[in-house]
Amino acid sequence: MGTLTAVCRVHQLLPDEGSVGVTAIDKRPVVGPVRVKALGAYGDVQTDREHHGGRDKALYAYAQEAADRWAAELAREVPPGLFGENLRTSGVDVDGAEIGERWRIGTGEDALEVEVTMPRTPCATFARRLGEERWVKRFTRSGVPGAYLRVVRPGTISAGDAVEVLLRPGHGVGVGRWLADADPADARTLLACAADGGLDLAPDLREALLPASRR
């Protein structure tokens, strides 16, 4: 069982060179409980809603263990929220989480239940925020992209809450592995699971799986 070490939401909108002109990637930890519903954490926003947010990307989780790895490689701190994540975890295999895996965060009747939908795909806005050379390619190949989450049951969460894996589908395709390799066999496995009714694929992921499965 792991721990939710920080809950982050947008601190301020920042100017950005992209097509929208502003970005909500500046997430920072908040103190106290945060209500989470189908579209994400209360008080959080997305500016580019074509590519961010929505029910299949309601939350973005990133592991402290992966952040520590980047901190060592980049020789800089990677505090909670720097990557635009809503949830920073410890002791949770976020990047090894299978697509369709379900977690409970917190305890009691108001615990939050979420489902892993896909890896985070790095974009130009993320690269501009980090200012690191060849960042999109490096992050993609790293195997530690973090996971987007769909809200299965709304709840209220706080830093320090327990994170428990409730269900693992068993197909073996984790978010980090899929983004780094996009293996055709993995694509076919996920599509087959969806066809059998055992996996509710996000449309964005399905769009990536179909061409990969034909290679």
Short mmCIF file of all heavy atoms in Angstrom, two decimals, residues 101-166:
data_model
loop_
_atom_site.label_atom_id
_atom_site.label_comp_id
_atom_site.label_asym_id
_atom_site.label_seq_id
_atom_site.Cartn_x
_atom_site.Cartn_y
_atom_site.Cartn_z
N GLU A 101 -6.23 -0.57 -14.31
CA GLU A 101 -6.02 -0.83 -12.88
C GLU A 101 -6.81 0.18 -12.05
O GLU A 101 -6.94 1.35 -12.42
CB GLU A 101 -4.53 -0.71 -12.58
CG GLU A 101 -4.13 -1.08 -11.17
CD GLU A 101 -2.61 -1.15 -11.02
OE1 GLU A 101 -1.97 -1.91 -11.77
OE2 GLU A 101 -2.07 -0.42 -10.18
N ARG A 102 -7.34 -0.27 -10.92
CA ARG A 102 -8.13 0.62 -10.07
C ARG A 102 -7.49 0.79 -8.71
O ARG A 102 -6.97 -0.17 -8.13
CB ARG A 102 -9.56 0.08 -9.91
CG ARG A 102 -10.37 0.19 -11.19
CD ARG A 102 -11.84 -0.05 -10.96
NE ARG A 102 -12.59 0.15 -12.20
CZ ARG A 102 -13.91 0.15 -12.28
NH1 ARG A 102 -14.63 -0.03 -11.18
NH2 ARG A 102 -14.52 0.34 -13.43
N TRP A 103 -7.56 2.04 -8.22
CA TRP A 103 -7.00 2.38 -6.91
C TRP A 103 -8.08 2.99 -6.03
O TRP A 103 -8.98 3.66 -6.51
CB TRP A 103 -5.89 3.42 -7.03
CG TRP A 103 -4.76 3.11 -7.94
CD1 TRP A 103 -4.40 1.89 -8.46
CD2 TRP A 103 -3.81 4.06 -8.45
NE1 TRP A 103 -3.28 2.02 -9.25
CE2 TRP A 103 -2.90 3.35 -9.28
CE3 TRP A 103 -3.65 5.42 -8.30
CZ2 TRP A 103 -1.85 3.96 -9.94
CZ3 TRP A 103 -2.59 6.05 -8.95
CH2 TRP A 103 -1.69 5.32 -9.76
N ARG A 104 -7.92 2.79 -4.72
CA ARG A 104 -8.69 3.54 -3.73
C ARG A 104 -7.73 4.49 -3.02
O ARG A 104 -6.64 4.08 -2.60
CB ARG A 104 -9.34 2.62 -2.71
CG ARG A 104 -10.14 3.39 -1.64
CD ARG A 104 -10.58 2.50 -0.50
NE ARG A 104 -11.60 1.57 -0.93
CZ ARG A 104 -11.53 0.26 -0.77
NH1 ARG A 104 -10.44 -0.29 -0.23
NH2 ARG A 104 -12.50 -0.53 -1.17
N ILE A 105 -8.14 5.74 -2.90
CA ILE A 105 -7.33 6.75 -2.21
C ILE A 105 -8.14 7.25 -1.02
O ILE A 105 -9.24 7.79 -1.19
CB ILE A 105 -6.95 7.91 -3.13
CG1 ILE A 105 -6.22 7.38 -4.38
CG2 ILE A 105 -6.07 8.92 -2.40
CD1 ILE A 105 -5.91 8.46 -5.42
N GLY A 106 -7.60 7.08 0.18
CA GLY A 106 -8.34 7.45 1.38
C GLY A 106 -9.09 6.26 1.94
O GLY A 106 -8.99 5.12 1.44
N THR A 107 -9.85 6.50 3.00
CA THR A 107 -10.60 5.43 3.65
C THR A 107 -12.02 5.89 3.94
O THR A 107 -12.33 7.09 3.88
CB THR A 107 -9.92 5.02 4.98
OG1 THR A 107 -9.83 6.17 5.83
CG2 THR A 107 -8.54 4.45 4.74
N GLY A 108 -12.85 4.94 4.26
CA GLY A 108 -14.21 5.27 4.65
C GLY A 108 -15.13 5.54 3.47
O GLY A 108 -14.78 5.31 2.31
N GLU A 109 -16.30 6.06 3.78
CA GLU A 109 -17.33 6.26 2.78
C GLU A 109 -16.95 7.32 1.74
O GLU A 109 -17.49 7.32 0.63
CB GLU A 109 -18.65 6.65 3.45
CG GLU A 109 -19.25 5.54 4.30
CD GLU A 109 -20.57 5.93 4.91
OE1 GLU A 109 -21.00 7.08 4.70
OE2 GLU A 109 -21.19 5.08 5.58
N ASP A 110 -16.05 8.22 2.10
CA ASP A 110 -15.70 9.31 1.18
C ASP A 110 -14.38 9.05 0.46
O ASP A 110 -13.76 9.97 -0.08
CB ASP A 110 -15.63 10.65 1.93
CG ASP A 110 -15.96 11.83 1.02
OD1 ASP A 110 -16.64 11.62 0.00
OD2 ASP A 110 -15.52 12.95 1.32
N ALA A 111 -13.93 7.79 0.45
CA ALA A 111 -12.69 7.46 -0.28
C ALA A 111 -12.92 7.63 -1.78
O ALA A 111 -14.03 7.45 -2.30
CB ALA A 111 -12.29 6.03 0.02
N LEU A 112 -11.87 8.00 -2.47
CA LEU A 112 -11.90 8.19 -3.92
C LEU A 112 -11.48 6.90 -4.60
O LEU A 112 -10.51 6.26 -4.19
CB LEU A 112 -10.93 9.31 -4.30
CG LEU A 112 -10.71 9.58 -5.80
CD1 LEU A 112 -11.96 10.19 -6.42
CD2 LEU A 112 -9.50 10.50 -6.00
N GLU A 113 -12.19 6.51 -5.65
CA GLU A 113 -11.77 5.37 -6.46
C GLU A 113 -11.50 5.85 -7.88
O GLU A 113 -12.30 6.59 -8.46
CB GLU A 113 -12.83 4.26 -6.46
CG GLU A 113 -12.94 3.57 -5.12
CD GLU A 113 -13.84 2.36 -5.15
OE1 GLU A 113 -14.16 1.87 -6.26
OE2 GLU A 113 -14.24 1.90 -4.07
N VAL A 114 -10.35 5.44 -8.42
CA VAL A 114 -9.93 5.89 -9.74
C VAL A 114 -9.46 4.70 -10.57
O VAL A 114 -9.15 3.64 -10.04
CB VAL A 114 -8.80 6.94 -9.64
CG1 VAL A 114 -9.28 8.21 -8.97
CG2 VAL A 114 -7.58 6.37 -8.91
N GLU A 115 -9.41 4.91 -11.88
CA GLU A 115 -8.96 3.89 -12.81
C GLU A 115 -7.88 4.46 -13.72
O GLU A 115 -8.03 5.56 -14.26
CB GLU A 115 -10.14 3.40 -13.65
CG GLU A 115 -9.78 2.30 -14.65
CD GLU A 115 -11.00 1.79 -15.38
OE1 GLU A 115 -11.96 1.37 -14.70
OE2 GLU A 115 -11.00 1.81 -16.62
N VAL A 116 -6.80 3.72 -13.88
CA VAL A 116 -5.71 4.13 -14.76
C VAL A 116 -6.16 4.00 -16.21
O VAL A 116 -6.59 2.93 -16.64
CB VAL A 116 -4.47 3.25 -14.51
CG1 VAL A 116 -3.36 3.57 -15.50
CG2 VAL A 116 -3.98 3.41 -13.07
N THR A 117 -6.06 5.09 -16.96
CA THR A 117 -6.55 5.08 -18.35
C THR A 117 -5.44 5.07 -19.39
O THR A 117 -5.58 4.43 -20.43
CB THR A 117 -7.45 6.28 -18.62
OG1 THR A 117 -6.73 7.50 -18.34
CG2 THR A 117 -8.72 6.23 -17.78
N MET A 118 -4.34 5.78 -19.13
CA MET A 118 -3.28 5.88 -20.14
C MET A 118 -2.08 6.60 -19.55
O MET A 118 -2.18 7.25 -18.50
CB MET A 118 -3.78 6.65 -21.37
CG MET A 118 -4.07 8.12 -21.13
SD MET A 118 -4.86 8.93 -22.56
CE MET A 118 -6.59 8.59 -22.17
N PRO A 119 -0.92 6.50 -20.22
CA PRO A 119 0.24 7.27 -19.77
C PRO A 119 0.10 8.73 -20.17
O PRO A 119 -0.65 9.07 -21.10
CB PRO A 119 1.40 6.62 -20.52
CG PRO A 119 0.77 6.08 -21.76
CD PRO A 119 -0.61 5.64 -21.38
N ARG A 120 0.82 9.59 -19.51
CA ARG A 120 0.90 10.98 -19.90
C ARG A 120 1.83 11.08 -21.11
O ARG A 120 2.97 10.63 -21.07
CB ARG A 120 1.45 11.81 -18.75
CG ARG A 120 1.39 13.33 -18.97
CD ARG A 120 2.66 13.94 -19.47
NE ARG A 120 2.61 15.39 -19.48
CZ ARG A 120 2.84 16.17 -18.42
NH1 ARG A 120 3.16 15.62 -17.26
NH2 ARG A 120 2.78 17.48 -18.53
N THR A 121 1.34 11.66 -22.18
CA THR A 121 2.17 11.90 -23.37
C THR A 121 2.73 13.31 -23.29
O THR A 121 1.96 14.27 -23.21
CB THR A 121 1.35 11.73 -24.65
OG1 THR A 121 0.79 10.41 -24.68
CG2 THR A 121 2.22 11.93 -25.88
N PRO A 122 4.04 13.48 -23.29
CA PRO A 122 4.61 14.82 -23.15
C PRO A 122 4.31 15.71 -24.35
O PRO A 122 4.27 15.23 -25.49
CB PRO A 122 6.11 14.56 -23.02
CG PRO A 122 6.32 13.26 -23.73
CD PRO A 122 5.08 12.45 -23.46
N CYS A 123 4.11 16.97 -24.10
CA CYS A 123 3.78 17.93 -25.16
C CYS A 123 4.78 19.08 -25.15
O CYS A 123 5.65 19.18 -24.28
CB CYS A 123 2.36 18.46 -24.98
SG CYS A 123 2.12 19.36 -23.43
N ALA A 124 4.63 19.98 -26.11
CA ALA A 124 5.55 21.11 -26.23
C ALA A 124 5.46 22.05 -25.03
O ALA A 124 6.46 22.63 -24.60
CB ALA A 124 5.27 21.87 -27.53
N THR A 125 4.25 22.19 -24.48
CA THR A 125 4.09 23.05 -23.29
C THR A 125 4.91 22.50 -22.13
O THR A 125 5.58 23.25 -21.41
CB THR A 125 2.61 23.12 -22.88
OG1 THR A 125 1.86 23.71 -23.96
CG2 THR A 125 2.42 23.96 -21.63
N PHE A 126 4.87 21.20 -21.94
CA PHE A 126 5.66 20.54 -20.89
C PHE A 126 7.15 20.77 -21.13
O PHE A 126 7.90 21.07 -20.20
CB PHE A 126 5.31 19.06 -20.89
CG PHE A 126 5.89 18.24 -19.76
CD1 PHE A 126 6.24 18.81 -18.55
CD2 PHE A 126 6.06 16.88 -19.92
CE1 PHE A 126 6.76 18.05 -17.52
CE2 PHE A 126 6.57 16.09 -18.90
CZ PHE A 126 6.92 16.68 -17.70
N ALA A 127 7.56 20.65 -22.38
CA ALA A 127 8.97 20.87 -22.72
C ALA A 127 9.39 22.31 -22.43
O ALA A 127 10.49 22.56 -21.90
CB ALA A 127 9.21 20.54 -24.19
N ARG A 128 8.53 23.25 -22.76
CA ARG A 128 8.86 24.66 -22.48
C ARG A 128 8.95 24.91 -20.97
O ARG A 128 9.79 25.68 -20.51
CB ARG A 128 7.82 25.58 -23.11
CG ARG A 128 7.93 25.68 -24.63
CD ARG A 128 7.05 26.78 -25.19
NE ARG A 128 5.63 26.43 -25.11
CZ ARG A 128 4.96 25.79 -26.07
NH1 ARG A 128 5.60 25.41 -27.17
NH2 ARG A 128 3.67 25.55 -25.94
N ARG A 129 8.08 24.27 -20.22
CA ARG A 129 8.12 24.46 -18.76
C ARG A 129 9.41 23.94 -18.17
O ARG A 129 10.00 24.59 -17.30
CB ARG A 129 6.93 23.75 -18.11
CG ARG A 129 6.93 23.80 -16.57
CD ARG A 129 5.59 23.37 -16.04
NE ARG A 129 5.54 23.20 -14.60
CZ ARG A 129 5.42 24.18 -13.71
NH1 ARG A 129 5.38 25.45 -14.12
NH2 ARG A 129 5.34 23.92 -12.42
N LEU A 130 9.86 22.78 -18.62
CA LEU A 130 11.08 22.20 -18.06
C LEU A 130 12.34 22.86 -18.61
O LEU A 130 13.35 22.96 -17.92
CB LEU A 130 11.10 20.70 -18.33
CG LEU A 130 10.50 19.79 -17.26
CD1 LEU A 130 11.35 19.80 -16.00
CD2 LEU A 130 9.08 20.19 -16.91
N GLY A 131 12.31 23.25 -19.89
CA GLY A 131 13.48 23.89 -20.48
C GLY A 131 14.67 22.96 -20.62
O GLY A 131 15.82 23.41 -20.65
N GLU A 132 14.41 21.66 -20.73
CA GLU A 132 15.47 20.67 -20.86
C GLU A 132 15.59 20.21 -22.31
O GLU A 132 14.59 20.05 -23.00
CB GLU A 132 15.20 19.46 -19.96
CG GLU A 132 15.14 19.77 -18.47
CD GLU A 132 16.51 20.06 -17.88
OE1 GLU A 132 17.52 19.74 -18.54
OE2 GLU A 132 16.56 20.59 -16.76
N GLU A 133 16.82 19.98 -22.75
CA GLU A 133 17.07 19.60 -24.14
C GLU A 133 16.40 18.27 -24.48
O GLU A 133 16.46 17.32 -23.72
CB GLU A 133 18.59 19.49 -24.35
CG GLU A 133 18.99 19.25 -25.80
CD GLU A 133 20.49 19.21 -25.97
OE1 GLU A 133 21.21 19.41 -24.96
OE2 GLU A 133 20.94 18.97 -27.10
N ARG A 134 15.73 18.24 -25.66
CA ARG A 134 15.08 17.04 -26.18
C ARG A 134 14.13 16.41 -25.14
O ARG A 134 14.03 15.20 -25.01
CB ARG A 134 16.11 16.01 -26.65
CG ARG A 134 17.02 16.49 -27.76
CD ARG A 134 18.03 15.44 -28.19
NE ARG A 134 18.99 15.14 -27.16
CZ ARG A 134 19.01 14.03 -26.43
NH1 ARG A 134 18.12 13.09 -26.67
NH2 ARG A 134 19.91 13.83 -25.50
N TRP A 135 13.43 17.25 -24.41
CA TRP A 135 12.64 16.77 -23.29
C TRP A 135 11.53 15.81 -23.70
O TRP A 135 11.32 14.80 -23.03
CB TRP A 135 12.06 17.93 -22.50
CG TRP A 135 11.25 17.47 -21.32
CD1 TRP A 135 9.91 17.58 -21.13
CD2 TRP A 135 11.75 16.79 -20.16
NE1 TRP A 135 9.53 17.02 -19.94
CE2 TRP A 135 10.65 16.52 -19.32
CE3 TRP A 135 13.03 16.37 -19.76
CZ2 TRP A 135 10.79 15.86 -18.10
CZ3 TRP A 135 13.16 15.72 -18.55
CH2 TRP A 135 12.05 15.47 -17.74
N VAL A 136 10.81 16.10 -24.76
CA VAL A 136 9.70 15.24 -25.17
C VAL A 136 10.20 13.82 -25.45
O VAL A 136 9.63 12.84 -24.98
CB VAL A 136 8.97 15.82 -26.40
CG1 VAL A 136 8.02 14.79 -27.00
CG2 VAL A 136 8.21 17.08 -26.02
N LYS A 137 11.28 13.70 -26.19
CA LYS A 137 11.83 12.38 -26.51
C LYS A 137 12.36 11.69 -25.25
O LYS A 137 12.12 10.49 -25.04
CB LYS A 137 12.93 12.50 -27.55
CG LYS A 137 13.53 11.17 -27.98
CD LYS A 137 14.57 11.36 -29.07
CE LYS A 137 13.92 11.76 -30.38
NZ LYS A 137 14.90 11.79 -31.50
N ARG A 138 13.04 12.41 -24.42
CA ARG A 138 13.61 11.81 -23.20
C ARG A 138 12.52 11.32 -22.26
O ARG A 138 12.61 10.21 -21.71
CB ARG A 138 14.50 12.83 -22.48
CG ARG A 138 15.77 13.16 -23.22
CD ARG A 138 16.45 14.38 -22.63
NE ARG A 138 16.96 14.15 -21.28
CZ ARG A 138 17.47 15.13 -20.53
NH1 ARG A 138 17.54 16.37 -20.99
NH2 ARG A 138 17.92 14.85 -19.32
N PHE A 139 11.49 12.13 -22.10
CA PHE A 139 10.41 11.75 -21.19
C PHE A 139 9.64 10.54 -21.74
O PHE A 139 9.29 9.63 -20.99
CB PHE A 139 9.47 12.94 -21.00
CG PHE A 139 8.46 12.76 -19.90
CD1 PHE A 139 8.81 12.96 -18.58
CD2 PHE A 139 7.16 12.38 -20.18
CE1 PHE A 139 7.89 12.79 -17.56
CE2 PHE A 139 6.22 12.21 -19.18
CZ PHE A 139 6.58 12.41 -17.86
N THR A 140 9.42 10.53 -23.05
CA THR A 140 8.71 9.42 -23.67
C THR A 140 9.45 8.11 -23.48
O THR A 140 8.85 7.07 -23.17
CB THR A 140 8.50 9.69 -25.17
OG1 THR A 140 7.70 10.86 -25.32
CG2 THR A 140 7.82 8.52 -25.87
N ARG A 141 10.75 8.13 -23.66
CA ARG A 141 11.55 6.92 -23.58
C ARG A 141 11.92 6.53 -22.16
O ARG A 141 12.48 5.45 -21.95
CB ARG A 141 12.82 7.10 -24.42
CG ARG A 141 12.54 7.22 -25.92
CD ARG A 141 13.82 7.41 -26.69
NE ARG A 141 13.59 7.40 -28.14
CZ ARG A 141 14.52 7.61 -29.05
NH1 ARG A 141 15.78 7.83 -28.66
NH2 ARG A 141 14.23 7.59 -30.33
N SER A 142 11.63 7.37 -21.20
CA SER A 142 12.08 7.14 -19.83
C SER A 142 11.43 5.94 -19.15
O SER A 142 12.00 5.33 -18.26
CB SER A 142 11.79 8.39 -18.98
OG SER A 142 10.38 8.55 -18.80
N GLY A 143 10.20 5.63 -19.56
CA GLY A 143 9.46 4.57 -18.89
C GLY A 143 8.79 5.01 -17.61
O GLY A 143 8.18 4.19 -16.91
N VAL A 144 8.86 6.31 -17.29
CA VAL A 144 8.22 6.83 -16.07
C VAL A 144 7.37 8.06 -16.41
O VAL A 144 7.61 9.16 -15.94
CB VAL A 144 9.26 7.16 -14.97
CG1 VAL A 144 9.83 5.88 -14.39
CG2 VAL A 144 10.39 8.04 -15.50
N PRO A 145 6.30 7.85 -17.20
CA PRO A 145 5.48 8.99 -17.63
C PRO A 145 4.40 9.40 -16.65
O PRO A 145 3.78 10.45 -16.82
CB PRO A 145 4.83 8.46 -18.92
CG PRO A 145 4.65 7.00 -18.64
CD PRO A 145 5.87 6.60 -17.84
N GLY A 146 4.14 8.58 -15.64
CA GLY A 146 2.99 8.84 -14.79
C GLY A 146 1.72 8.37 -15.48
O GLY A 146 1.74 7.94 -16.63
N ALA A 147 0.61 8.46 -14.76
CA ALA A 147 -0.64 7.88 -15.26
C ALA A 147 -1.79 8.86 -15.16
O ALA A 147 -1.96 9.55 -14.15
CB ALA A 147 -0.99 6.63 -14.46
N TYR A 148 -2.59 8.89 -16.22
CA TYR A 148 -3.87 9.59 -16.16
C TYR A 148 -4.90 8.68 -15.51
O TYR A 148 -4.87 7.45 -15.69
CB TYR A 148 -4.34 9.98 -17.56
CG TYR A 148 -3.70 11.23 -18.11
CD1 TYR A 148 -3.02 11.22 -19.32
CD2 TYR A 148 -3.81 12.44 -17.42
CE1 TYR A 148 -2.45 12.37 -19.83
CE2 TYR A 148 -3.23 13.60 -17.92
CZ TYR A 148 -2.57 13.57 -19.13
OH TYR A 148 -2.00 14.70 -19.63
N LEU A 149 -5.85 9.31 -14.80
CA LEU A 149 -6.84 8.57 -14.04
C LEU A 149 -8.25 9.03 -14.36
O LEU A 149 -8.50 10.23 -14.52
CB LEU A 149 -6.59 8.74 -12.54
CG LEU A 149 -5.18 8.43 -12.03
CD1 LEU A 149 -5.05 8.86 -10.57
CD2 LEU A 149 -4.86 6.95 -12.19
N ARG A 150 -9.15 8.06 -14.40
CA ARG A 150 -10.59 8.31 -14.54
C ARG A 150 -11.22 8.12 -13.16
O ARG A 150 -10.85 7.19 -12.43
CB ARG A 150 -11.16 7.32 -15.54
CG ARG A 150 -12.66 7.31 -15.72
CD ARG A 150 -13.07 6.10 -16.55
NE ARG A 150 -12.57 6.15 -17.92
CZ ARG A 150 -12.13 5.10 -18.60
NH1 ARG A 150 -12.12 3.89 -18.04
NH2 ARG A 150 -11.70 5.23 -19.84
N VAL A 151 -12.14 8.99 -12.79
CA VAL A 151 -12.81 8.87 -11.49
C VAL A 151 -13.93 7.84 -11.59
O VAL A 151 -14.87 8.01 -12.37
CB VAL A 151 -13.35 10.23 -11.02
CG1 VAL A 151 -14.15 10.07 -9.72
CG2 VAL A 151 -12.20 11.21 -10.81
N VAL A 152 -13.82 6.79 -10.81
CA VAL A 152 -14.85 5.75 -10.75
C VAL A 152 -15.88 6.08 -9.68
O VAL A 152 -17.08 5.93 -9.89
CB VAL A 152 -14.21 4.38 -10.45
CG1 VAL A 152 -15.28 3.30 -10.29
CG2 VAL A 152 -13.22 4.01 -11.54
N ARG A 153 -15.40 6.57 -8.55
CA ARG A 153 -16.28 7.01 -7.48
C ARG A 153 -15.72 8.29 -6.88
O ARG A 153 -14.58 8.30 -6.42
CB ARG A 153 -16.40 5.94 -6.39
CG ARG A 153 -17.50 6.26 -5.36
CD ARG A 153 -17.62 5.18 -4.32
NE ARG A 153 -16.57 5.32 -3.30
CZ ARG A 153 -16.49 4.57 -2.20
NH1 ARG A 153 -17.38 3.61 -1.99
NH2 ARG A 153 -15.52 4.75 -1.34
N PRO A 154 -16.49 9.39 -6.91
CA PRO A 154 -16.01 10.65 -6.34
C PRO A 154 -15.65 10.50 -4.87
O PRO A 154 -16.18 9.61 -4.17
CB PRO A 154 -17.19 11.60 -6.53
CG PRO A 154 -17.99 11.00 -7.64
CD PRO A 154 -17.84 9.51 -7.48
N GLY A 155 -14.78 11.36 -4.40
CA GLY A 155 -14.39 11.31 -3.01
C GLY A 155 -13.61 12.55 -2.61
O GLY A 155 -13.44 13.48 -3.40
N THR A 156 -13.14 12.54 -1.40
CA THR A 156 -12.35 13.65 -0.87
C THR A 156 -10.99 13.10 -0.43
O THR A 156 -10.94 12.09 0.28
CB THR A 156 -13.07 14.31 0.32
OG1 THR A 156 -14.33 14.81 -0.13
CG2 THR A 156 -12.25 15.47 0.87
N ILE A 157 -9.93 13.76 -0.86
CA ILE A 157 -8.58 13.26 -0.59
C ILE A 157 -7.72 14.34 0.06
O ILE A 157 -7.99 15.54 -0.09
CB ILE A 157 -7.90 12.75 -1.88
CG1 ILE A 157 -7.84 13.86 -2.94
CG2 ILE A 157 -8.64 11.53 -2.40
CD1 ILE A 157 -7.09 13.47 -4.20
N SER A 158 -6.69 13.89 0.74
CA SER A 158 -5.72 14.79 1.38
C SER A 158 -4.35 14.14 1.33
O SER A 158 -4.23 12.91 1.26
CB SER A 158 -6.09 15.04 2.85
OG SER A 158 -7.37 15.59 3.00
N ALA A 159 -3.33 14.96 1.38
CA ALA A 159 -1.97 14.44 1.51
C ALA A 159 -1.91 13.56 2.76
O ALA A 159 -2.46 13.91 3.81
CB ALA A 159 -0.97 15.58 1.62
N GLY A 160 -1.25 12.42 2.63
CA GLY A 160 -1.15 11.47 3.73
C GLY A 160 -2.11 10.31 3.61
O GLY A 160 -1.97 9.32 4.34
N ASP A 161 -3.08 10.41 2.69
CA ASP A 161 -4.02 9.31 2.50
C ASP A 161 -3.33 8.07 1.95
O ASP A 161 -2.35 8.16 1.20
CB ASP A 161 -5.13 9.71 1.52
CG ASP A 161 -6.20 10.57 2.15
OD1 ASP A 161 -6.24 10.68 3.39
OD2 ASP A 161 -7.02 11.15 1.39
N ALA A 162 -3.86 6.92 2.31
CA ALA A 162 -3.37 5.65 1.77
C ALA A 162 -3.86 5.47 0.34
O ALA A 162 -4.95 5.90 -0.02
CB ALA A 162 -3.85 4.50 2.63
N VAL A 163 -3.02 4.84 -0.48
CA VAL A 163 -3.38 4.48 -1.86
C VAL A 163 -3.29 2.96 -1.97
O VAL A 163 -2.23 2.38 -1.78
CB VAL A 163 -2.43 5.14 -2.89
CG1 VAL A 163 -2.89 4.79 -4.30
CG2 VAL A 163 -2.39 6.65 -2.69
N GLU A 164 -4.42 2.34 -2.29
CA GLU A 164 -4.51 0.89 -2.35
C GLU A 164 -4.93 0.44 -3.73
O GLU A 164 -5.86 1.00 -4.32
CB GLU A 164 -5.53 0.40 -1.32
CG GLU A 164 -5.75 -1.09 -1.31
CD GLU A 164 -6.85 -1.52 -0.38
OE1 GLU A 164 -7.50 -0.64 0.23
OE2 GLU A 164 -7.09 -2.74 -0.27
N VAL A 165 -4.24 -0.56 -4.27
CA VAL A 165 -4.64 -1.14 -5.54
C VAL A 165 -5.80 -2.09 -5.28
O VAL A 165 -5.67 -3.06 -4.55
CB VAL A 165 -3.47 -1.89 -6.22
CG1 VAL A 165 -3.95 -2.56 -7.50
CG2 VAL A 165 -2.32 -0.94 -6.52
N LEU A 166 -6.94 -1.80 -5.91
CA LEU A 166 -8.14 -2.62 -5.73
C LEU A 166 -8.25 -3.71 -6.78
O LEU A 166 -8.77 -4.80 -6.49
CB LEU A 166 -9.39 -1.74 -5.81
CG LEU A 166 -9.57 -0.68 -4.75
CD1 LEU A 166 -10.83 0.14 -5.05
CD2 LEU A 166 -9.67 -1.30 -3.36
#
